[in-house]
Amino acid sequence: MYSVLMATPERLIESTQELLWERGYVGTSPKAIQQRAGVGQGSMYHHFDGKPDLACAALRRSAEQLLSLAEEQFSAPGTAYERIAGYLLRQREVLRGCRIGRMAQDPEVIADPVLRAPVQETFDRLSVRIAEVIEEGRRRGELRPGAAAQELAATVVAVVQGGYVMARAADSEEPFHRAVRGALALLGTQISPQ
């Protein structure tokens, strides 16, 4: 599955990222990680202190990847509305859910402050960045003054995460897309008349 040239820690982190996304923390055993990465137990424990340490590294990597993808839309050319719409409409594996958001529903992750930190930090950073885009749009006259930018940003993040949950519950992407269309309609009411 992995190239022999890929370093062992990288294989372990990538394998853990995938397993956490597929099975959650509880369902991800050290043995499953080792099998997926193609490494032995000694290699895993040589590079990481155990499953929690490896899971934390995998969560941090997933968080950085998610934030990097979001930043591609937030820093793209266009109006604030267009950039946020780009974030909402980008291609996603909707029925797999969010790599980070799924961890918020895992009791062992939420109970452990170290494992929970990357989850909370990701949502905080997303909200702050969306609020910055909204404020920039207001300064440029693209968006009208109104609701606090932080509240609108939290709504956008909640729509994405809630859309994933609704889609998975229905085994259909449509609830996610419906939620996104609703968020875009709400955000559209903030566009300043030209």
Side-chain angles (χ1 to χ4, degrees):
M1 175 175 279
Y2 291 102
S3 162
V4 292
L5 299 176
M6 183 185 281
T8 299
E10 287 301 310
R11 292 198 319 258
L12 286 163
I13 289 170
E14 285 187 18
S15 296
T16 304
Q17 283 180 278
E18 287 297 316
L19 287 165
L20 289 172
W21 197 11
E22 292 168 12
R23 304 177 182 183
Y25 184 79
V26 174
T28 299
S29 69
K31 183 175 182 176
I33 295 168
Q34 293 158 22
Q35 286 177 339
R36 175 125 350 152
V39 302
Q41 182 176 357
S43 293
M44 179 175 155
Y45 290 101
H46 172 75
H47 295 288
F48 297 95
D49 289 336
K51 177 182 166 182
D53 184 40
L54 179 51
C56 189
L59 286 171
R60 291 206 177 278
R61 173 78 54 84
S62 291
E64 288 306 317
Q65 290 169 341
L66 183 149
L67 292 167
S68 177
L69 279 174
E71 187 56 33
E72 287 178 20
Q73 278 82 42
F74 299 146
S75 61
T79 67
Y81 175 87
E82 291 167 344
R83 291 182 286 152
I84 294 170
Y87 166 72
L88 288 168
L89 295 169
R90 77 169 172 79
Q91 187 68 32
R92 301 168 193 269
E93 293 184 65
V94 173
L95 294 179
R96 287 189 79 187
C98 175
R99 287 178 185 255
I100 296 297
R102 288 191 65 187
M103 296 300 101
Q105 298 173 36
D106 193 307
E108 288 196 30
V109 170
I110 295 307
D112 183 332
V114 173
L115 292 174
R116 186 179 64 244
V119 176
Q120 179 182 354
E121 291 165 9
T122 301
F123 293 139
D124 290 347
R125 287 175 60 189
L126 266 177
S127 294
V128 164
R129 188 63 181 106
I130 294 168
E132 290 171 353
V133 173
I134 291 167
E135 289 295 347
E136 182 182 327
R138 287 180 174 163
R139 284 191 305 276
R140 291 180 176 178
E142 301 165 357
L143 300 176
R144 63 182 71 198
Q150 295 85 358
E151 292 172 2
L152 289 172
T155 300
V156 171
V157 173
V159 163
V160 171
Q161 293 304 313
Y164 280 131
V165 171
M166 291 174 14
R168 287 174 59 82
D171 194 28
S172 167
E173 292 187 8
E174 182 51 31
F176 180 89
H177 298 303
R178 191 178 314 122
V180 165
R181 288 191 301 270
L184 290 171
L186 176 66
L187 191 57
T189 67
Q190 299 297 304
I191 297 174
S192 293
Q194 298 298 323

